Amino acid sequence: MNNSHCKIDTGDWIGNAWTGPDWTPYARAIADHYPNQVPWFLTIPTTLTGGVGQRRVVVTSPNLYDVLIFGAHISIGSDSVGDNGQTVYLQITHLETGIPWVVPNILGYAPMTAFGGVRRNPTSNMKFPEAFFLPRRTKLKLEFTNAQIAAATGGTITLLGVQLTHPSTPKPPERVTMPNGDVIPVGSRLPWFATIGVGQRIFDPNSVVFNLPPASPMSQSLEFLPPSQCNVEIHDVHCNFFARDGLSLTPDNLAVKIVDMGSHNHWTPNLSPITGVFGVFTQAYPSLPFNKPYLLQKGHRIQILTQNNTPTADIINGLITLRGVRLCEY
Amino acid sequence: MFFTKYVYQILDRYRNHLELIDSIPINFTGVAGERPPAVFTNDVSSDMLYFAAHVNYTNVGTLIRIKSVSPQYEWMANNDPNPQDTPIEAVAGISTQVMPVLPLVQPFFVKKDGRLQMNFTNAPTSPVTGGIFTWRLLKLVDPIDGMGWDYSVGFTS
């Protein structure tokens, strides 16, 4: 800012609190190619009608302008129906490139609460780990899945972003310069979600169901994510089982250990309470960040050990979602 | 750095930036699903930057659709045959929320005497009566070159 004009005599320590999310360097580098920016909201109905295990596909309409999508807001169900989006699952795919945002492992989707903030919780709009550049005249495909329990009807997800208007070139920029001087292709940083179920998979003809039984005297489960297709920055972790249907599952009695199998880097030398590692939708950080993004090398995979020390409560359809940035080119 | 370079370029064209709070009655009458006539922000004799929004009720079932009248931009991209408007909590902070004022992803510039048009839909259950929508903005006064910023100026990297 031009301080000769705008200096605050009481000191310049007062920041502006209403500036919205911090833009990533990648988002800023793209936006710098456009002269104007206009707020953009796209609210997409799930079209779910309450069927258990129901799947619905919604394709968005193309936009006139290029769009940077920063995050999302979720408005669906209640404590007892769809568990506010914790038990409604979502996969997003950019149709032009065919790249899914959620790693297509045994699940291939993540709880809606891993994508966006929920209604009037402390964080009602949640950022993606990286802004997604949606080129003009292209579409997103959203696949919604109702879980086995308390199936939801209706509901919406609102994608939040900025329209980049009056482009100075007939085509979107193909490459942008990052703050460190690297020139990278647009589309080489994509939101990345990897979800894994907690416990034993139970056969069900209509859906994927997981269960981690209560302690007797101890119940453990070991799961692996598939090897990473390319380098990934992992930023934060979300889960959907601190509470279920509005009732607390005493999450402090649940413990976790995370290991990068490729480098044998144990993030948690011992089992740690999940409340110190994962975030949920009712908190200020629905996806709890790391101190610094973790670089998962191509070909490496993550191991997650969970332990249920609760005397009586099963963890049913508990899902852990790692969120990050996929560092691949098209 | 508090703002993006785009916002700094707008701010730098004015000698002073003044706080402005613009509250607009929504005029809900307590009827479920009602769509009262569109309401508009107040005319201001200076250029403005819209930063954040608030509503003074707690029912989260209401919907909103916003467009700027000058310049004419649609903010809400859903144009389905049955248009799906945006949940109010995605745009504005709620009275009882941790963040009762919710920032936009990017502040929005409006030239002097320009306005935003807002269409509201009342909640299907426990509908709201009355309701006030409040914008938090900066009034950009005393343009350095006498003209200030405009969309024809745009951002230059």
Side-chain angles (χ1 to χ4, degrees):
Chain A
M1 190 184 299
N2 188 334
N3 286 329
S4 63
H5 302 298
C6 303
K7 189 170 179 64
I8 301 171
D9 290 338
T10 53
D12 280 341
W13 57 272
I14 303 173
N16 187 293
W18 312 131
T19 55
D22 289 338
W23 288 38
T24 60
Y26 173 71
R28 275 184 265 150
I30 293 174
D32 285 354
H33 283 75
Y34 297 81
N36 294 313
Q37 299 168 13
V38 176
W40 180 86
F41 298 82
L42 177 60
T43 300
I44 303 156
T46 68
T47 71
L48 293 168
T49 57
V52 173
Q54 181 185 38
R55 293 182 63 224
R56 307 285 285 190
V57 176
V58 180
V59 177
T60 64
S61 299
N63 296 290
L64 177 63
Y65 299 115
D66 299 330
V67 174
L68 275 172
I69 306 176
F70 286 83
H73 170 86
I74 308 296
S75 180
I76 187 168
S78 62
D79 284 347
S80 58
V81 177
D83 207 349
N84 302 291
Q86 288 199 122
T87 57
V88 181
Y89 308 138
L90 174 62
Q91 167 71 284
I92 299 180
T93 306
H94 183 217
L95 281 183
E96 186 186 38
T97 60
I99 298 175
W101 292 13
V102 183
V103 171
N105 60 3
I106 187 175
L107 292 164
Y109 45 61
M112 287 183 74
T113 46
F115 287 86
V118 177
R119 285 194 287 270
R120 55 180 167 178
N121 282 280
T123 296
S124 52
N125 291 339
M126 182 163 66
K127 278 199 310 183
F128 300 144
E130 180 60 274
F132 180 76
F133 179 73
L134 181 65
R136 70 198 80 153
R137 294 188 285 278
T138 65
K139 306 175 188 177
L140 294 175
K141 179 174 77 172
L142 292 88
E143 298 170 77
F144 299 95
T145 303
N146 249 333
Q148 298 297 84
I149 41 180
T153 298
T156 60
I157 177 172
T158 301
L159 301 177
L160 310 155
V162 170
Q163 305 177 69
L164 305 167
T165 67
H166 303 119
S168 52
T169 56
K171 287 185 176 179
E174 294 184 351
R175 292 177 176 273
V176 293
T177 304
M178 300 290 279
N180 63 0
D182 287 351
V183 178
I184 65 170
V186 172
S188 61
R189 292 180 61 86
L190 298 174
W192 176 90
F193 300 76
T195 299
I196 197 164
V198 174
Q200 182 182 12
R201 183 183 175 191
I202 302 170
F203 175 76
D204 185 284
N206 298 316
S207 185
V208 180
V209 178
F210 290 90
N211 183 41
L212 183 61
S216 56
M218 179 176 68
S219 173
Q220 281 191 343
S221 167
L222 188 65
E223 280 97 21
F224 298 90
L225 284 166
S228 172
Q229 187 183 7
C230 54
N231 289 352
V232 172
E233 287 173 11
I234 306 177
H235 288 211
D236 46 41
V237 195
H238 167 85
C239 80
N240 70 344
F241 52 91
F242 281 15
R244 181 53 51 83
D245 301 335
L247 302 174
S248 173
L249 297 175
T250 57
D252 282 330
N253 285 343
L254 304 170
V256 65
K257 179 182 175 70
I258 303 176
V259 180
D260 176 349
M261 293 298 291
S263 62
H264 292 285
N265 178 12
H266 294 236
W267 295 5
T268 47
N270 300 306
L271 286 163
S272 300
I274 64 168
T275 43
V277 185
F278 304 153
V280 291
F281 77 97
T282 54
Q283 297 179 334
Y285 290 105
S287 198
L288 204 61
F290 304 141
N291 301 316
K292 180 184 175 186
Y294 182 82
L295 184 65
L296 182 68
Q297 301 283 350
K298 177 181 179 181
H300 290 193
R301 60 178 180 164
I302 292 287
Q303 168 195 299
I304 298 180
L305 172 70
T306 46
Q307 178 171 303
N308 187 356
N309 296 322
T310 309
T312 56
D314 292 70
I315 307 299
I316 300 172
N317 275 350
L319 300 181
I320 299 166
T321 302
L322 303 172
R323 304 185 345 140
V325 183
R326 171 192 157 112
L327 306 173
C328 287
E329 296 187 23
Y330 291 156
Chain B
M1 186 160 127
F2 298 128
F3 304 104
T4 61
K5 287 190 286 186
Y6 174 75
V7 175
Y8 277 120
Q9 285 197 4
I10 296 173
L11 294 173
D12 280 351
R13 287 179 170 265
Y14 302 83
R15 288 192 177 85
N16 210 350
H17 316 137
L18 303 176
E19 188 74 19
L20 186 62
I21 302 172
D22 188 11
S23 292
I24 306 108
I26 299 170
N27 301 319
F28 281 137
T29 61
V31 177
E34 67 174 329
R35 305 198 67 188
V39 295
F40 296 85
T41 55
N42 289 295
D43 294 355
V44 178
S45 59
S46 298
D47 298 346
M48 291 160 289
L49 261 183
Y50 286 76
F51 280 84
H54 162 83
V55 289
N56 73 332
Y57 54 81
T58 57
N59 189 326
V60 297
T62 59
L63 304 174
I64 187 172
R65 179 169 286 258
I66 303 176
K67 66 175 73 171
S68 62
V69 178
S70 54
Q72 294 185 354
Y73 284 119
E74 287 273 2
W75 288 18
M76 301 346 190
N78 186 297
N79 291 312
D80 292 349
N82 295 315
Q84 173 63 59
D85 288 351
T86 303
I88 194 75
E89 324 91 85
V91 181
I94 308 291
S95 298
T96 55
Q97 204 173 356
V98 172
M99 285 277 283
V101 176
L102 198 62
L104 296 170
V105 170
Q106 177 76 301
F108 183 69
F109 177 85
V110 172
K111 201 69 180 167
K112 71 175 181 178
D113 298 325
R115 298 192 296 176
L116 300 183
Q117 174 186 317
M118 295 174 288
N119 288 87
F120 292 90
T121 302
N122 212 335
T125 56
S126 305
V128 177
T129 299
I132 297 174
F133 192 96
T134 298
W135 281 107
R136 300 291 299 265
L137 52 155
L138 280 180
K139 190 162 68 169
L140 309 173
V141 297
D142 199 3
I144 292 168
D145 63 356
M147 299 291 290
W149 196 83
D150 204 346
Y151 283 89
S152 58
V153 175
F155 172 80
T156 51
S157 55

